[in-house]
Amino acid sequence: MGLFSPFVRTRAVIGIALAQLRRSPGRTVLAVLAVTLSVLAITLLASLGVGVVEVGETGLDNADRDIWVSSDPVDPSADGAENPIPDAHGTSAALTERDDISSAAPLAMHQVYVGTEPDQLERTTAVGVQETHDGFDFEAGSGFDRAELPDEGERPTDPQTAEIVLDPQVADDAGADVGDTVYVGTSRQTAPEYEFTVVGIASYYSQFLGTPAATVPLPDLQIVAGTTGTDRATFITADVADGADQEAVRDDLATEYPEYDVRTSDEQIEAMVAEQPLVLASGMTLVGLAVVGGSVLTINLFALMVTQQRRELAALRAIGLSRGLLSGMIAVQGLVIGLLGGIVGVAATPLLADGLNRVALSLVGFENLLRTPVEVYVAGFALALSVGTVVAGITGWRVGRTLKLEHLEQ
């Protein structure tokens, strides 16, 4: 008997724990639901944190350019963007002439005011590009063709193409649709001077920037911003030729243009994310809150559950069960409840994340703001299982030390 006593005790602990759970089905179901909520708090908040950090990375990755040329300061946030590269078209043309580069193009960003009425303008970010291309996934309308500055002669003072692609949220705020005329300017005073035709609705560069943005032909945006004379841009992007080594091209360009920062696409992603500490802090804070909040909810749940069983535990203690057995019995209950709550919470996460993503898309215009990598599910399930078991066991041990016969009379 002595050899099998640990096995017998373990069976007894498990049997009593399961009997306790079956005896109070309502309490068990509520406990499982509470753990499910804790798991969802972890998985959904962590998914949001991961999504916040990855929005900028994904947008830049979707740009699908091999080389990024920039200069300090680079601030692609919604609060403003500087355009430190002069003679952007000339530099792009020089890069394109290289044998190891297949194409190069400048990209500029400015804060502008947009609206269908001169006295009803909303501030947003405008991205100036040579042309729209595949991947814009237009909700309505289409893009604009390639726009170039004149090679020689006097520079125009009015937009030549005068076409604009609006982010869906910007279009809604402005009450604009494809075919409508909107006013665009870098100030409320200058906006009435420039009329643009809305040719498309798309959020392509909103994903790139992490904020709703309009897309405008680069020469037209430079005219609106008053930078046509210096031909300024925020970035010059380039694709390397087939067979060319991306890092070797980067090194050659860095030597040829020491006044600029030349990065590969991966390096540019790291640089831009690092230059957005608010985004990083927000993402990490959400992940931290998810873990701490879920842990606190789980700890409170099992402390309350053990307290509600004080009378039954006092009876078991009175007939001779040790504190270790009582603690093990409560830990088994925590393991079972954590297992069931973890399974339900993990199973419900993708459904709720999909619903919240739809809400986020309708409110702020971002797709897949909540990201659910495998690590998010593992973290939620592991916390429910481990914290539930450990906290329940510790709580049972502490309660066992304070049990008195008076608790049987309560």
Side-chain angles (χ1 to χ4, degrees):
M1 183 64 184
L3 180 64
F4 296 99
S5 59
F7 177 70
V8 172
R9 283 200 298 270
T10 301
R11 286 191 58 185
V13 166
I14 295 175
I16 295 173
L18 296 179
Q20 285 284 85
L21 294 176
R22 288 195 300 269
R23 184 172 176 271
S24 303
R27 184 173 62 194
T28 302
V29 171
L30 289 176
V32 170
L33 289 177
V35 172
T36 299
L37 292 177
S38 299
V39 172
L40 288 174
I42 294 169
T43 56
L44 294 179
L45 276 177
S47 299
L48 181 59
V50 172
V52 167
V53 174
E54 289 188 352
V55 160
E57 296 181 356
T58 303
L60 189 59
D61 192 45
N62 287 340
D64 194 26
R65 301 293 275 178
D66 296 327
I67 300 292
W68 291 74
V69 179
S70 62
S71 183
D72 293 331
V74 177
D75 181 10
S77 69
D79 294 328
E82 299 186 31
N83 291 270
I85 302 177
D87 189 25
H89 285 83
T91 304
S92 298
L95 294 182
T96 304
E97 290 178 355
R98 293 172 58 103
D99 293 335
D100 53 5
I101 290 181
S102 61
S103 66
L107 182 152
M109 290 184 287
H110 287 279
Q111 293 297 304
V112 298
Y113 290 85
V114 178
T116 54
E117 300 294 337
D119 57 348
Q120 295 179 357
L121 303 170
E122 298 293 335
R123 192 168 185 256
T124 188
T125 300
V127 179
V129 295
Q130 294 294 94
E131 61 183 330
T132 52
H133 48 77
D134 294 338
F136 260 73
D137 192 20
F138 290 98
E139 292 186 10
S142 59
F144 46 79
D145 296 329
R146 188 176 182 83
E148 298 279 5
L149 282 175
D151 293 333
E152 298 178 354
E154 186 177 354
R155 297 294 177 88
T157 56
D158 294 322
Q160 301 300 294
T161 306
E163 294 178 335
I164 188 170
V165 175
L166 295 180
D167 174 86
Q169 182 178 336
V170 175
D172 286 342
D173 292 344
D177 206 342
V178 173
D180 290 346
T181 297
V182 294
Y183 298 94
V184 181
T186 52
S187 69
R188 295 183 185 278
Q189 290 72 30
T190 61
E193 301 175 13
Y194 303 107
E195 295 183 356
F196 283 69
T197 301
V198 180
V199 295
I201 307 293
S203 59
Y204 181 84
Y205 278 103
S206 301
Q207 302 294 326
F208 171 78
L209 293 171
T211 185
T215 308
V216 186
L218 177 57
D220 289 356
L221 182 60
Q222 290 178 329
I223 290 172
V224 170
T227 60
T228 302
T230 53
D231 188 17
R232 306 191 75 84
T234 310
F235 298 106
I236 293 177
T237 61
D239 281 336
V240 301
D242 292 340
D245 184 81
Q246 191 178 106
E247 295 183 353
V249 174
R250 174 204 60 192
D251 293 340
D252 287 346
L253 293 179
T255 302
E256 185 174 352
Y257 298 95
E259 68 275 28
Y260 297 136
D261 297 319
V262 184
R263 301 184 177 99
T264 63
S265 56
D266 290 341
E267 292 170 342
Q268 188 61 32
I269 290 174
E270 295 175 1
M272 291 185 68
V273 171
E275 288 167 4
Q276 298 186 53
L278 182 59
V279 173
L280 285 176
S282 299
M284 296 304 296
T285 299
L286 287 171
V287 174
L289 285 175
V291 175
V292 173
S295 300
V296 171
L297 284 174
T298 306
I299 291 171
N300 286 337
L301 164 68
F302 285 107
L304 181 62
M305 188 182 72
V306 172
T307 301
Q308 290 180 336
Q309 297 181 63
R310 185 184 294 271
R311 184 177 178 183
E312 292 87 342
L313 295 174
L316 293 172
R317 185 81 175 99
I319 63 176
L321 266 68
S322 67
R323 289 197 297 269
L325 288 178
L326 291 179
S327 176
M329 186 189 69
I330 297 299
V332 170
Q333 291 185 29
L335 175 64
V336 173
I337 291 173
L339 179 64
L340 295 176
I343 292 174
V344 176
V346 168
T349 295
L351 298 176
L352 290 176
D354 183 64
L356 292 173
N357 274 330
R358 293 175 185 275
V359 174
L361 178 62
S362 64
L363 292 179
V364 298
F366 292 115
E367 295 181 353
N368 300 321
L369 190 56
L370 277 73
R371 310 290 172 90
T372 52
V374 175
E375 290 80 3
V376 168
Y377 294 106
V378 171
F381 188 76
L383 192 141
L385 209 58
S386 59
V387 173
T389 305
V390 172
V391 170
I394 294 175
T395 307
W397 175 268
R398 291 179 59 84
V399 170
R401 296 179 60 185
T402 60
L403 288 175
K404 299 178 182 178
L405 291 177
E406 288 79 4
H407 291 129
L408 291 171
E409 300 174 356
Q410 294 178 357

